[in-house]
Amino acid sequence: MAMTDTAAEGFQERQALLRLMAWLSPAFPVGGFSYSAGLESAVTEGHLRDGDALEAWLGVVLSDGGLRNDAILLCEAHRLQQDGQPLEDLLSLAAALAGSAERYGEITRLGEAFVKAAAAWPHPVIRHLTGTVTYSVAVGAVAAAHGVKRADAVAAFLHAQVSHYVSVAIRLGVIGQTRGLAIVAAAETPILAAAAELCRLSLDDLGSATIIADTLSLRHEIQYSRLFQS
């Protein structure tokens, strides 16, 4: 029996949701567990000593730092893909915005691994994501190609990033799992608010005011002992 238009639309939306869940799952083979985006240095140098400090730190990078920029780049990639526009210039810009060698390595390795893994869902967009591919741009373009709504993609991406940073803090012994879950739960409202706001912004709105976090990412390159690659 053929599906009605409404049923077909519902199926496609649920299919897009399942794919988004798979792509941003910790089990998706991009190697994200190897990176901390400078968080390890923040812990080592005493900036993050407990859950309250971590929660405040995440709030700042979401509202004024790297997470905000990543979300704007994701939105732009989503728009370009939907409009059938090339991604090369955006990929170059996203790579140039990396604040340190480690950060550059992180976002490009994650991006290239994401594209390779996402090829399990065949789509022509994969052919346009070659060479130096940044993670946020890859997620945005692939999400658009598979019919994932922009706001959903941004919210899921930010949630995955926050959850990852919480996992980093747990592995570094800053917090336990219970406190980590509480931080993830508390992050829902600011993530949803950020997703709604950032989808309306453009590349002109890129910018960061998290100097300490950016500096710590640089300092991690010469840190004597470390668990993470960034």
Side-chain angles (χ1 to χ4, degrees), residues 19-30 135 160:
R19 291 177 179 181
L20 184 61
M21 291 168 61
W23 297 329
L24 295 175
S25 164
F28 201 63
V30 296
Y135 187 43

Side-chain angles (χ1 to χ4, degrees), residues 1-8:
M1 180 181 297
M3 289 190 292
T4 65
D5 290 345
T6 301

Side-chain angles (χ1 to χ4, degrees), residues 60-226:
V60 171
V61 296
L62 176 61
S63 63
D64 298 293
L67 279 182
R68 178 181 181 276
N69 281 343
D70 285 345
I72 293 174
L73 292 166
L74 188 157
C75 289
E76 182 67 9
H78 192 286
R79 185 189 66 78
L80 291 174
Q81 174 61 28
Q82 278 194 323
D83 294 345
Q85 300 296 313
L87 297 164
E88 287 81 4
D89 288 347
L90 182 63
L91 287 168
S92 297
L93 174 63
L97 289 174
S100 66
E102 283 192 357
R103 180 62 176 160
Y104 175 85
E106 175 182 346
I107 61 176
T108 56
R109 290 171 192 152
L110 288 176
E112 290 158 15
F114 178 85
V115 172
K116 182 178 180 179
W121 291 263
H123 192 281
V125 69
I126 300 298
R127 297 199 300 268
H128 301 293
L129 294 168
T130 57
T132 301
V133 179
T134 52
Y135 187 43
S136 58
V137 173
V139 173
V142 170
H146 289 272
V148 177
K149 295 178 181 178
R150 190 173 307 164
D152 290 345
V154 175
F157 177 82
L158 292 176
H159 184 272
Q161 294 299 98
V162 168
S163 297
H164 171 68
Y165 295 147
V166 167
S167 177
V168 168
I170 292 173
R171 281 181 282 171
L172 291 172
V174 176
I175 56 173
Q177 291 183 333
T178 300
R179 184 68 174 98
L181 289 173
I183 292 173
V184 172
E188 287 182 0
T189 297
I191 285 173
L192 291 173
E197 175 193 359
L198 298 175
C199 283
R200 298 192 295 265
L201 302 184
S202 70
L203 296 181
D204 291 338
D205 297 294
L206 288 168
S208 173
T210 51
I211 297 174
I212 293 176
D214 296 339
T215 302
L216 288 170
S217 178
L218 291 166
R219 292 169 67 86
H220 189 268
E221 296 177 13
I222 57 173
Q223 187 168 305
Y224 173 69
S225 177
R226 56 188 185 179

